[in-house]
Amino acid sequence: MRTHPKSTSLFTKSLFLMLLVVVMGISGCSSRNYSSTSSARSNPAASGGAAPIAETGDKTLTVAISADAGIDQLDAGAYKGSMNVHAMIYDGLVEYGEKGEILPSLAESWDISEDGKSYTFHLRQGVKFSDGTEFNADAVKFSFERWIKDPANSLNVATAMESLVVVDEHTITLNFNKAYYPFLTELSFARPVRMISPSAVEPAGDINGTFVKAVGTGAWMAESYTTDQEAVLVRNPNYWGEMPKLSKIIMKVIPDPQSRVLALQSGDVELAGGQLGKIPIESVPVIEADSSLSLQIAPGTNSHFMIFNYHTPALQDLNIRKAINLAMNKKSIVNDLMNGIGQEAKGLFPLTVPYVTESNHTWYGYDKQEAKELLAAAGYKDSDGDGIAEKGGIPLELNFVLQQAEYPEWKSISELIQSELREIGIAVNLQVLEPNAYYDALWTSKAYDLILYRTYDDAYNPHAFLLSLFHQTPEAPAVVWSDAELEAQIDTAVGSTDLQERQNAYDSIFSRMYEEAMFAAIYFPDELLAVNQRVTGFKPGHTTYSPIYWNQLDILK
C-alpha cells in the first residue's frame, strides 16, 4: 500500500491533545516565552519547490554546550560524539515531528507491506552530500550496511533487518523478520541510522572502511574543531532544504551550569540550555531579570518518577504502593521546588508523548488521609507513638536511593518526599550515590527499596522505554515492575500494524500501571533555554537531539 507521509502520523489530528502554549515575541526586556511547536519543518524543497539560498551574510551564533562535540568521532553509524551535532550534519530517511508524527526527510514517501515487514522508500532526488557526492539508494545501502550487523546494536531496525534491496537509483526496500510499528520511529533517531557519504571513509565506499570525516546531507558541516573547547559548524552549500540564515555556529564547551549562565550574561554565548547543557532552576530568576536575555520554556517529553523494588516485602502490597503515591504533594514539588516550571505527573508519560491522551492520562492525586487509611488496611499502625507505623513489630522503613550529579533537583525533591512519607507513618532513609554506584543499584544490585529515575525522551517514548524497563529480556526480569499481563500488552502494542489496535493496547498498558500502582509518578519537567535578545526566529524542536530549529535562527547585526 502506498503510504503518504502524513498518514503515518502516530495520531490523527483529533488525537493531538498537546497543551498549546503562547509564543511570546522577543522584546527589549526579559520574558518567559512559552513556545508551542510545529509538526512540520519549514522546508520548501520538501514540498517540491527549490531550496532558496538566502542572502544571509556573515552571521555567527555562539552556543554553550556542556561536553565536547567529538567531531573527529562523528561517524553517522556510531554512537560517539554529540547527538545534537549528529542531527545537524546528518539527515535520516524520515524525521520525528510533533507527538511522534513521522515526516519525510531524505525519503519523500514510503510504502509499507500489508504484513508490516517490508518498507520501500522513495528517495528525494537531486540531493548531494556536503562534499558534492551524490545521494542515492546505493548511499543508503552503504550507510546501513556499515552498522546493522554490529552485535552491540540493539535497535530493532538493525536486529530485525533481513535484507536491503536497491530497486533503482532512488528507491530502496528494507525487509524485516517481524512487524514492529516503531521501525519508522527508530529511523528518525540521531544515530546510527542517518546517511553518510561513501566518501567519508577510507577506502571510499568500503563498508568496513575507516571513518575519516563527517560528510552528510544536513544543513551544517564541520569547519574546525578543538577538543574540549569548541566545534565550529558552517552552512552546507549543497543543502537540499531551506538554507540556514546563520552562516556559522560556534559550539563552545562550558561544563559548569553556573558558568553557562555567566557566559550568557556577559555575551560570550548567545544561546544555552536544554539538552545542550542544562540551565539550573535556581538561575531562572537571574535570567528573567536580565534585559538582554529571553527565557524560552517548551513542554518536555520525559518524566521523573519513583521506582518500587518489587522484591521488598512491604512494597508487594498494593495498598502500600497506593499510599506512597497519595502521600506526595506533586503540585508542591513543581510550584515550590521547581519554580513553577513543569507539571505534576499524571502517569508515566506527559501528553507530548505518542498514544498518551486525556482519557488514559491519569494517576493518583494528593490525599494524606486516604494514604493513612491504606496503611491501616495493610495492617500497619503506630503502636508505640514514635510516628512510624509497624506490622508484626517491624517498622515500615524504606531506603530511598538517588543521585544529584546529573539531576541536582532530586535532592530537594527527595527530602520533601521523605518528610511527606513520614507524616503518614513511613520512615525513609535517603542515600545519595555517585552516578556509577547509582546506576549499579538500578540495573544490577537492586540495592534499594525506592529509587528516583526518569523516562527516556521524545522518539524513545513510549515503546523503547516500556521495552527497556517494564519488559523482561532473555537475561533478566523487568527492571521497574515485573508483570506478565503488562508485558503481553506491550508486545501487542509494538507488534501491531493497526493504529487503533495500538492505541487500545497503550490504553490497557496505562490502565494496568494505574491499577497496580507500579511506580510513583512525580513530575513532568519542561525544557529551559536562554537566548540573547539579538537572536530571532527561535523555535524549539521536537527531540532532544534536535532541540532547536537551527535553520530558522537569525541574529541581529
Side-chain angles (χ1 to χ4, degrees), residues 34 42 79 93 121 164 172 235 237 247 261 290 293 306 326 416 482 524 533 535:
Y34 288 81
S42 177
Y79 289 93
L93 294 177
F121 292 92
L164 297 100
I172 190 167
R235 284 191 301 251
S247 57
V261 176
D290 192 324
L293 302 175
M306 177 195 290
L326 289 162
L416 177 60
S482 183
F524 298 147
Q533 297 282 14
V535 179

Side-chain angles (χ1 to χ4, degrees), residues 277-538:
K278 297 288 187 182
I279 291 174
I281 291 290
E282 59 268 25
S283 297
V284 167
V286 173
I287 294 168
E288 290 183 314
D290 192 324
S291 62
S292 70
L293 302 175
S294 173
L295 185 69
Q296 302 284 339
I297 304 178
T301 57
N302 73 67
S303 72
H304 294 208
F305 68 105
M306 177 195 290
I307 295 173
F308 301 133
N309 190 331
Y310 50 80
H311 296 297
T312 300
L315 296 174
Q316 292 170 0
D317 191 318
L318 176 59
N319 285 329
I320 302 297
R321 302 197 300 274
K322 286 183 176 179
I324 291 173
N325 272 282
L326 289 162
M328 296 191 303
N329 188 342
K330 295 183 284 292
K331 285 185 179 178
S332 177
I333 289 172
V334 173
N335 294 333
D336 300 330
L337 300 182
M338 306 305 296
N339 200 31
I341 296 170
Q343 300 84 39
E344 65 171 304
K346 297 180 179 179
L348 186 60
F349 302 108
L351 282 167
T352 49
V353 170
Y355 302 102
V356 180
T357 68
E358 289 287 359
S359 60
N360 66 29
H361 182 68
T362 184
W363 204 249
Y364 299 90
Y366 174 57
D367 191 328
K368 275 203 167 130
Q369 184 56 42
E370 185 180 353
K372 291 178 180 178
E373 292 170 359
L374 287 168
L375 286 188
Y380 285 89
K381 64 178 181 178
D382 179 13
S383 58
D384 57 10
D386 67 350
I388 304 302
E390 311 104 31
K391 181 178 181 180
I394 301 175
L396 185 48
E397 186 173 358
L398 301 171
N399 293 323
F400 188 10
V401 168
L402 64 139
Q403 58 125 324
Q404 59 181 140
E406 294 174 290
Y407 303 100
E409 67 273 20
W410 280 5
K411 181 73 174 346
S412 59
I413 289 173
S414 299
E415 289 171 343
L416 177 60
I417 291 172
Q418 178 188 42
S419 173
E420 291 176 327
L421 292 182
R422 185 174 182 87
E423 288 182 25
I424 68 167
I426 302 177
V428 172
N429 304 313
L430 295 185
Q431 296 180 356
V432 182
L433 304 180
E434 293 301 312
N436 286 342
Y438 166 85
Y439 286 113
D440 180 71
L442 173 66
W443 295 105
T444 307
S445 70
K446 306 297 182 185
Y448 65 87
D449 297 313
L450 311 170
I451 188 168
L452 266 187
Y453 195 48
R454 52 153 286 175
T455 65
Y456 301 155
D457 294 280
D458 42 71
Y460 298 88
N461 290 334
H463 73 282
F465 187 77
L466 292 175
L467 286 169
S468 295
L469 277 295
F470 286 87
H471 200 290
Q472 66 177 335
T473 67
E475 296 79 28
V479 175
V480 175
W481 197 259
S482 183
D483 183 83
E485 182 176 331
L486 182 74
E487 292 183 9
Q489 292 165 346
I490 294 172
D491 289 337
T492 297
V494 299
S496 175
T497 58
D498 180 78
L499 176 62
Q500 189 57 56
E501 183 181 12
R502 287 201 300 272
Q503 182 63 63
N504 292 342
Y506 278 113
D507 290 343
S508 298
I509 288 167
F510 301 143
S511 176
R512 179 72 178 167
M513 289 177 166
Y514 173 75
E515 290 167 0
E516 293 297 317
M518 293 180 179
F519 54 87
I522 298 178
Y523 82 105
F524 298 147
D526 287 334
E527 290 291 344
L528 300 178
L529 293 103
V531 186
N532 191 288
Q533 297 282 14
R534 295 196 308 123
V535 179
T536 64
F538 178 89

Side-chain angles (χ1 to χ4, degrees), residues 206-244:
D206 184 350
I207 63 171
N208 297 312
T210 301
F211 171 74
V212 177
K213 60 181 179 179
V215 182
T217 62
W220 302 93
M221 60 185 190
E223 179 184 68
S224 63
Y225 167 66
T226 304
T227 305
D228 292 327
Q229 293 185 37
E230 69 176 29
V232 179
L233 304 179
V234 294
R235 284 191 301 251
N236 171 9
N238 294 310
Y239 184 51
W240 55 270
E242 180 181 17
M243 194 62 71

